[in-house]
Amino acid sequence: MDPKMDSGVLQPGETLEHDYDLQKDLLPEEVVGIMDQLLCYETAWHEGYPLSQNLFTSVHLDRLLWPEPRILEEASFDRGKPASPMAMMNRILRAYCLALIKCCDRVIQTVTSRDYYEEEDFSTHTYNRSLLTQIDEAEIQQELSHCWEWLVGELGTQYNISNDLRRALESRLGFRQTLLSAMHQDATEPLNALDPLWRVTATFLGDMKSNHTLGQPVPEAFSPKLQRRLASTVPPRPVVEYTFDEAIQKMTLLCEHSLETIQAIDIRSSSAAGLLSFTWAFASHKPQPLAYPRALLASFIFGGPPEAFSSVLQRDLEELVFTEDTVLDPLNWTIEMSRSSLIPHDPRALIAKTIDDFLARISQCYAYLWSTLCQNRCRIRRMLCHSLREFDHLMADAEIFDNELHDLSKDTLSNPLMTWTYYHKLRQVEWVVQLGFEQEIYQPDELVGMYWWLSQIASSRYTVLEHILPFTRRRHARFAKKKQLREASSVGRTVDYVDAMVKEAKGTALLAGCLSTLYALLHYLKLLPVPERPYSAPALRYELRMKPFLLTVEPPTPPPFEEYRQKTHPLGDYDQPSSDNLSRSLKAMAADADDAVKMAKAEFAALKKLGAKAARCEAVEDAWKKNIASMLSSCVAAGIATSTVKAACSAHSGISRPPSLKVEMPEAWKRYHDWWVVPKVIN
Amino acid sequence: MSDAAPASADLRYEQYDGTKEAEFLPAIRQLISKDLSEPYSIYVYRYFLYQWGNLCYMALDASNKLIGVVVSKLEDHRSGTFRGYIAMLAVQEGYRGQGIATRLVKMAIDAMAARDADEVVLETEVTNTASLKLYERLGFLRSKRLHRYYLNGNTAFRLVLYLKEGTAVKMPQLLQQQALCGDEHGAQNPLLVNHDLVH
Ligand SMILES: CC(C)(COP(=O)(O)OP(=O)(O)OC[C@H]1O[C@@H](n2cnc3c(N)ncnc32)[C@H](O)[C@@H]1OP(=O)(O)O)[C@@H](O)C(=O)NCCC(=O)NCCS
């Protein structure tokens, strides 16, 4: 049998039973060694590998879990044997294992309470073993405390344990105590206690790293053969090994990410745009957050009373199109609809009903969008492709609701709901394309087209924003004039926000435009080859590329292939450009690209000046600043490329004697910004 | 195996023949399992070869030794397209870099096109440069990145080649309203799912 297929293969003469004696008294250093190996396996599990390939190879866990204990006492290493006083080291190990199992149980509950993808994100399979679900966490905490007290107390000193080893055991028990407590919280409980728990847990990990070498590995306490006894249709797989340093690093990150998610609770109740930037910043961590912290974030976004999440949607509308608008005046919801057909409805009651209807129509799509942003990075891109279509379909409904509002509220932005829906759709289209750059979906010769498309979308987005901006400015001026300071300041924030988004969208459109032109130019100059691709045709590739956007109905929809081809081949075929004065046309293109990147840089610089608060990103100010700095660096790099090409075009008379430049495409991890693929042009 | 690349000139390219299962199936399994990270059971091979043996091509040397193989299938996909799928591809190490795999893949695609396929898709590990280069040179594009697609935790690209216009906007025959939260298809390697089914 192929050992790759089946790591549980028995060698001749081997049996299914392990020959490890669970009653044997363990040395303190062995206990540390076993605990640390368990941490490595726990890490592998968090990374997505099934329990059978890591923790369930532990002889100790196996004994505690099978047959299933009904009460805590039954979960022991000497099952079925007459009870004898357990040696203290075994007892400490048992307490650690019990807490570890309980942590796994919590993790599974948290992850499965949200959207996740089995195996891809995480493996919830427990092979018919119950992870002490029925056993009260407090009992396990008590057992941990008991062991801890024993260790630090008099009794511990009677044993011949060195202080260092005692401390090593203490930090491991402490780690389990705080981790279990931190994981035991959920969104419905008061959360102020959670923050210190995650911090202390991370500190314990630091201690464990420093005294890991005191431990002594006990390889016999783990057996891949145990996989054979687990009910599964999948053949046993190789055990996944992480070093202890890797485990500490990854678990520390898990604590840090989990800690970070707690902020979502406050941000959720203050700003939808803020929550969005927070969620993106969280999803953009490298390495990306694991399934558990992502599920935690989702539970803080969606958890709590149902109003908590629906108020995010209301706030989202308010922050973009309804700031200090009578449409969202809470008073509207206190007025009853008229019961008599003779008395017309109060318009305020009708407004409330229209908004409620719209919210009801959109809430599922809106929740899907947030759930999308809590997925792994690859999934985010794929699910956004679905989400953007839903938003696209919503436009028609939004228009109907807008018409109703139009008759009910005069001093309101025109088509507010459509504007809002459209804006959200466009952002999602942009994200799909930009994540495509990040995930190396596009080949070099596709960049002309994809950056062209991105610039189209971003231009549409700033057009939307420029529809909102003057209206909001007028409203702000009106409040300011009437000395309604609270209202003026609230509308002022929206003015700043929309202004910041205008700059961001404009900068995006310009930089994308620059890169599209630059790449086209490189093709005309024969500096960037276009593969032959004998089994495919450009129109078919275009169709495939635009698939996520083809089924949308609202502009911009992908143009017919011929039009797209013309836009991306302004001078005709890359091989045989047709232009009356080719070298002049090329120079003009180079000049365009150069101008565009200068303007893009100016927009991003202006955005930076407006600041994180204006962009409603104050909760993630550092990440925001870093992001802008990276975009500015991309502009600088693009500027260098365009001016090099421009200079070379001026010095040469065109295609017949192409300039002797060289183009290098940056490796994905060497880019200034994941979303901006800037070529290096070398003279 | 000697360092000098064995001549590939006198290789024969043949469609798999089900009547010779005993002769070829063990060789195919051996060749594939040597290089692929996924543990495919015998049932997976049979699943493909019984139904789509005519989409499996082999490169054989003068003594009928298997040098390269491509295994694929073609069926209606729930997206509404008639979808070809390249499941496995491998060439003996000493014979690589001579265009053998390219030729096998071309034969499979030609056979699918002749049977009116709309598209051909496959997955490959993001780090498999040789495989990416081979398919992309023919015209495949990357359509998605699949996080932890393989059991070993590695990430894949899905590569797609359209053979016909209108493939992107095809709809399932039974136009079922797709549930919002359901993804278009599960992420994990379908070969392993099949494996589970037949067990
Ligand atoms: C992938 C595989 C089938 C290619 O077989 P092959 O007969 O060598 O392929 P071809 O000669 O037709 O083409 C391969 C291309 O990749 C290139 N290539 C090969 N190894 C490479 C490497 N390590 N890095 C970059 N390119 C590489 C070849 O040079 C050739 O491109 P070129 O003609 O432009 O030079 C073979 O490497 C193999 O069996 N690998 C193990 C199994 C596997 O990975 N299967 C595919 C999984 S879906």
Side-chain angles (χ1 to χ4, degrees), chain B residues 3-182:
Chain B
D3 272 354
S8 61
D10 48 352
L11 294 183
R12 285 178 298 115
Y13 291 83
E14 273 184 19
Q15 200 178 65
Y16 174 80
D17 176 356
T19 62
K20 295 188 188 152
E21 178 181 303
E23 182 179 356
F24 292 122
L25 186 52
I28 292 177
R29 276 191 83 187
Q30 202 199 7
L31 181 55
I32 304 254
S33 66
K34 208 165 128 200
D35 285 303
L36 294 193
S37 53
E38 301 282 290
Y40 298 143
S41 81
I42 182 87
Y43 303 105
V44 175
Y45 292 91
R46 289 207 176 121
Y47 164 78
F48 285 98
L49 296 175
Y50 282 0
Q51 300 180 73
W52 297 281
N54 53 12
L55 296 177
C56 165
Y57 290 89
M58 306 179 293
L60 303 164
D61 72 4
S63 58
N64 256 6
K65 196 173 146 241
L66 187 72
I67 303 303
V69 67
V70 61
V71 175
S72 35
K73 69 172 175 175
L74 175 61
E75 61 185 349
D76 284 319
H77 184 254
R78 55 199 258 197
S79 64
T81 65
F82 193 39
R83 175 184 275 196
Y85 179 76
I86 299 183
M88 308 171 203
L89 171 71
V91 169
Q92 294 275 7
E93 212 167 332
Y95 286 80
R96 290 187 189 162
Q98 304 179 58
I100 299 172
T102 303
R103 182 141 171 213
L104 289 167
V105 168
K106 280 180 170 177
M107 291 172 88
I109 300 173
D110 288 341
M112 293 176 191
R115 286 167 180 74
D116 218 25
D118 292 313
E119 59 178 342
V120 185
V121 314
L122 60 102
E123 292 89 25
T124 187
E125 282 185 28
V126 295
T127 50
N128 193 339
T129 342
S131 154
L132 284 170
K133 202 163 156 188
L134 181 165
Y135 289 113
E136 291 183 341
R137 220 177 24 192
L138 291 175
F140 284 80
L141 296 185
R142 304 173 187 187
S143 77
K144 329 176 150 168
R145 203 181 177 102
L146 308 163
H147 180 61
R148 287 182 53 86
Y149 179 78
Y150 295 103
L151 272 188
N152 62 12
N154 288 353
T155 295
F157 280 122
R158 168 151 314 129
L159 301 186
V160 180
L161 177 76
Y162 278 0
L163 299 175
K164 283 196 206 160
E165 261 173 54
T167 302
V169 292
K170 276 212 164 177
M171 288 283 187
Q173 303 262 287
L174 269 168
L175 200 127
Q176 285 173 333
Q177 188 54 46
Q178 203 177 12
L180 196 53
C181 287

Side-chain angles (χ1 to χ4, degrees), chain A residues 395-648:
Chain A
M395 291 282 286
D397 291 353
E399 186 172 14
I400 297 171
F401 292 118
D402 275 341
N403 288 339
E404 288 174 17
L405 280 183
H406 181 77
D407 299 329
L408 296 168
S409 171
K410 291 300 159 207
D411 179 32
T412 291
L413 179 77
S414 61
N415 297 317
L417 300 176
M418 263 174 91
T419 302
W420 181 89
T421 309
Y422 188 43
Y423 180 75
H424 273 282
K425 176 207 148 171
L426 290 172
R427 283 201 99 171
Q428 294 174 53
V429 176
E430 275 177 55
W431 289 334
V432 167
V433 178
Q434 285 172 317
L435 287 170
F437 296 119
E438 173 183 316
Q439 294 173 15
E440 296 179 275
I441 300 290
Y442 311 122
Q443 287 166 50
D445 69 309
E446 292 185 88
L447 296 175
V448 181
M450 293 326 291
Y451 276 120
W452 172 79
W453 177 239
L454 177 61
S455 80
Q456 297 296 297
I457 306 296
S459 303
S460 303
R461 184 157 66 91
Y462 78 69
T463 315
V464 178
L465 291 162
E466 284 185 334
H467 163 70
I468 305 173
L469 196 54
F471 176 88
T472 315
R473 284 209 164 110
R474 279 199 303 276
R475 174 171 285 178
H476 177 249
R478 216 156 354 108
F479 280 127
K481 204 167 151 201
K482 285 196 271 176
K483 298 267 183 305
Q484 287 178 269
L485 296 183
R486 192 198 58 77
E487 289 84 351
S489 125
S490 145
V491 180
R493 280 219 66 182
T494 300
V495 170
D496 286 348
Y497 172 62
V498 176
D499 199 19
M501 291 302 100
V502 166
K503 294 186 165 50
E504 188 257 341
K506 259 191 180 161
T508 301
L510 286 161
L511 183 54
C514 156
L515 289 175
S516 175
T517 309
L518 175 61
Y519 280 114
L521 203 54
L522 296 178
H523 286 307
Y524 282 122
L525 294 171
K526 308 206 167 34
L527 296 170
L528 199 62
V530 179
E532 267 197 39
R533 302 193 174 100
Y535 272 67
S536 133
L540 291 175
R541 290 199 300 278
Y542 175 64
E543 188 183 325
L544 171 59
R545 225 8 125 208
M546 290 295 174
K547 183 176 176 206
F549 323 114
L550 280 179
L551 294 169
T552 59
V553 288
E554 299 297 335
T557 50
F561 174 68
E562 280 316 318
E563 188 183 328
Y564 164 84
R565 172 135 185 118
Q566 200 279 323
K567 298 281 188 211
T568 50
H569 296 68
L571 310 178
D573 275 1
Y574 295 147
D575 284 345
Q576 293 164 309
S578 56
S579 167
D580 297 341
N581 186 336
L582 192 57
S583 74
R584 202 174 59 208
S585 304
L586 291 174
K587 263 181 243 170
M589 275 175 80
D592 283 351
D594 207 38
D595 290 346
V597 73
K598 282 186 186 126
M599 291 189 285
K601 203 173 148 209
E603 294 295 338
F604 292 140
L607 173 61
K608 184 175 164 185
K609 219 167 140 202
L610 275 177
K613 186 152 188 252
R616 300 198 198 271
C617 292
E618 61 266 49
V620 284
E621 186 162 5
D622 289 346
W624 184 82
K625 281 188 179 153
K626 217 174 132 218
N627 190 46
I628 297 201
S630 309
M631 294 197 293
L632 283 168
S633 305
S634 301
C635 288
V636 172
I640 295 172
T642 52
S643 53
T644 310
V645 174
K646 196 168 125 186

